Amino acid sequence: MTQWLHVLNKRWFLYSLLLVNSFGTVYGYVWYGWQLRETPARFLLFVPDSPMASHFFVFVILAFLLRRHWPLIEALAAVTLVKYGIWAVVMNLLVLNVTGELSWQGYMLIASHAAMAIQGMLYAPYYRFKPWHLIAAAVWTLHNDMIDYLYKMMPRYPVLDQYFVPIGYFTFWLSMASIWGAYMLCLRKNRRTLELT
């Protein structure tokens, strides 16, 4: 396992992640297109949750390739990649459970969002943010939850409307777990240096 993790610092691998995440980010904004067209301007920044998370990670990868760190972006990526990666997997599995079927796009979303969460955790020990950066990312994330569930701006899965309240409750605690996970992976003593090769 440790030998496999050595690929994380390879330039070719980072460029591959940059390409895949850039494509996924664009696809994500397109996926939200119809909802964004109906969204009041003041909420636009808080609606496309998953593409915003992968967008943060695109900037993290760029910084790594430039041998730099952008701490606030790293903190946002650390929290949101894991949160929205897990959230989308759970929501699509819930759709499958409720309806008994899932489109190929649903399975693609499960795979791509699971990959989001995994890459978020794998690169977390290489981040260099400070506690205040994580606090800012936590405020962003919890504020996003409030926008989603108080103003009903969350990603739309019409078949799950009947579960609106428990999904909101689950989302809040998933945010808290992701913030705690970012603290444990990034601010404890297990930080590593990403030596590019």
Side-chain angles (χ1 to χ4, degrees):
M1 179 68 172
T2 305
Q3 288 186 341
W4 182 87
L5 290 178
H6 287 166
V7 75
L8 297 179
N9 70 342
K10 304 294 184 187
R11 281 188 167 274
W12 66 265
F13 188 71
L14 285 170
Y15 278 116
S16 299
L17 284 181
L18 182 63
L19 182 64
V20 169
N21 280 276
S22 297
F23 174 78
T25 299
V26 171
Y27 176 84
Y29 287 127
V30 170
W31 188 89
Y32 274 95
W34 63 275
Q35 185 174 348
L36 291 173
R37 286 190 290 275
E38 299 174 4
T39 300
R42 68 185 183 278
F43 295 135
L44 282 175
L45 204 56
F46 303 101
V47 169
D49 299 328
S50 294
M52 189 68 77
S54 60
H55 206 152
F56 292 142
F57 193 57
V58 164
F59 284 111
V60 168
I61 297 168
L62 283 172
F64 284 164
L65 289 168
L66 296 170
R67 300 181 188 275
R68 300 188 61 186
H69 287 277
W70 295 327
L72 182 56
I73 301 297
E74 289 178 356
L76 286 163
V79 174
T80 61
L81 278 175
V82 173
K83 176 194 171 179
Y84 294 116
I86 293 172
W87 188 92
V89 169
V90 171
M91 290 308 109
N92 281 281
L93 289 175
L94 186 54
V95 169
L96 177 60
N97 184 63
V98 169
T99 66
E101 59 184 13
L102 195 62
S103 68
W104 69 267
Q105 291 99 330
Y107 288 107
M108 182 271 294
L109 289 171
I110 288 174
S112 61
H113 284 77
M116 275 176 57
I118 291 167
Q119 68 187 0
M121 289 184 280
L122 287 176
Y123 279 96
Y126 300 106
Y127 295 162
R128 290 292 178 270
F129 58 79
K130 296 180 179 174
W132 79 264
H133 297 115
L134 181 57
I135 291 169
V139 169
W140 166 277
T141 304
L142 294 172
H143 178 255
N144 200 351
D145 288 348
M146 288 189 285
I147 296 297
D148 281 356
Y149 293 95
L150 293 179
Y151 294 94
K152 299 188 176 178
M153 294 289 131
M154 67 288 177
R156 301 216 185 125
Y157 287 84
V159 72
L160 301 181
D161 284 349
Q162 59 184 313
Y163 303 106
F164 177 80
V165 172
I167 287 173
Y169 185 77
F170 164 75
T171 302
F172 169 78
W173 285 109
L174 181 57
S175 293
M176 296 300 289
S178 300
I179 293 162
W180 177 250
Y183 169 75
M184 295 299 290
L185 288 171
C186 306
L187 292 178
R188 302 291 293 227
K189 295 180 180 178
N190 60 342
R191 286 187 173 181
R192 302 176 197 153
T193 300
L194 191 68
E195 300 287 349
L196 295 185
T197 59

